[in-house]
C-alpha cells in the first residue's frame, strides 16, 4: 500500500534480491532510484542489473515508444508487466525474454526486433493479456528462425510478421 500514489520508488542500498513475480507496479510510478548498490542500478528511472545487461523493471507510469538500451541482453521477469502506457518497444539486439515480460501491457501494439540475430522467447505469458492486435515484427529474412525460438507461448508465433 505504501506504493499507491508514489511517483518515485527509492530502493535501499542494501537490496540484494528483488522478486517481481506476479507483481504489477502502480501506474503512478515513473522512476526507480537506487544508489551505492553492488547488484542493481538505475538509469533514467529504469531498474537494471549493476552490469546493465538485465532490464529488471521498467516504471509502470512511463509510456510511449521505448527503445531498449543496447547493453541489455535479458528482459527480466515481468519487467514491463502492467504498463498500460507503452505503445511500442524496439529491440535492436538479440535478447532473452523471461516470463511475463510484457504481460498486461494493454496499449502495447508493436514489439519490433531489428537485429539479424534471433531473440529467444523462453518465458511463459510474455504477452499475456496484451492488446489482441499486438504484432511482433522481425526482419523478413529471420521470420522462420524467430518462430523456432518461441518455446512456450504459441500465440506469439501467430503474431510474428
Amino acid at each position: 500500500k505504501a506504493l499507491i500514489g508514489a511517483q518515485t520508488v527509492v530502493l535501499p542500498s542494501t537490496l540484494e534480491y528483488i522478486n517481481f513475480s506476479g507483481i504489477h507496479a502502480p501506474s503512478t510510478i515513473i522512476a526507480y532510484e537506487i544508489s551505492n548498490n553492488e547488484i542493481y542500478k538505475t538509469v533514467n528511472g529504469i531498474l537494471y542489473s549493476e552490469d546493465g545487461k538485465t532490464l529488471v523493471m521498467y516504471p509502470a507510469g512511463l509510456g510511449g515508444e521505448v527503445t531498449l538500451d543496447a547493453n541489455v541482453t535479458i528482459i527480466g521477469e515481468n519487467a514491463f508487466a502492467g504498463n498500460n502506457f507503452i505503445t511500442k518497444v524496439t529491440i535492436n539486439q538479440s535478447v532473452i525474454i523471461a516470463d511475463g515480460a510484457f504481460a498486461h501491457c494493454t496499449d502495447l501494439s508493436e514489439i519490433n526486433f531489428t537485429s539479424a540475430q534471433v531473440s529467444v522467447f523462453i518465458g511463459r505469458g510474455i504477452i499475456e493479456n496484451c492488446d489482441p492486435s499486438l504484432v511482433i515484427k522481425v526482419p523478413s529474412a529471420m521470420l522462420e528462425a524467430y518462430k523456432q525460438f518461441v518455446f512456450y507461448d504459441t500465440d506469439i508465433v501467430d503474431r510474428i510478421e
Side-chain angles (χ1 to χ4, degrees), residues 47-156:
L47 184 64
Y48 294 94
S49 58
E50 179 54 38
D51 62 6
K53 292 184 178 187
T54 301
L55 191 157
V56 177
M57 182 60 72
Y58 190 87
L62 290 182
E65 295 186 6
V66 176
T67 299
L68 207 62
D69 183 272
N71 294 324
V72 172
T73 58
I74 299 170
I75 299 175
E77 184 174 351
N78 295 317
F80 288 89
N83 184 313
N84 296 322
F85 303 109
I86 57 172
T87 56
K88 177 181 178 181
V89 176
T90 299
I91 301 170
N92 296 317
Q93 68 271 20
S94 178
V95 294
I96 296 171
I97 303 173
D99 291 351
F102 298 102
H104 305 278
C105 293
T106 56
D107 283 354
L108 182 60
S109 61
E110 181 180 318
I111 302 173
N112 186 14
F113 293 92
T114 62
S115 176
Q117 296 177 328
V118 176
S119 288
V120 180
F121 299 86
I122 63 165
R124 298 181 195 277
I126 292 171
I127 57 169
E128 180 179 303
N129 295 322
C130 286
D131 184 332
S133 65
L134 170 69
V135 295
I136 300 172
K137 295 185 176 183
V138 301
S140 58
M142 302 302 292
L143 184 62
E144 291 308 313
Y146 265 86
K147 289 183 177 187
Q148 291 176 13
F149 284 93
V150 176
F151 292 106
Y152 299 109
D153 289 343
T154 55
D155 62 327
I156 289 177

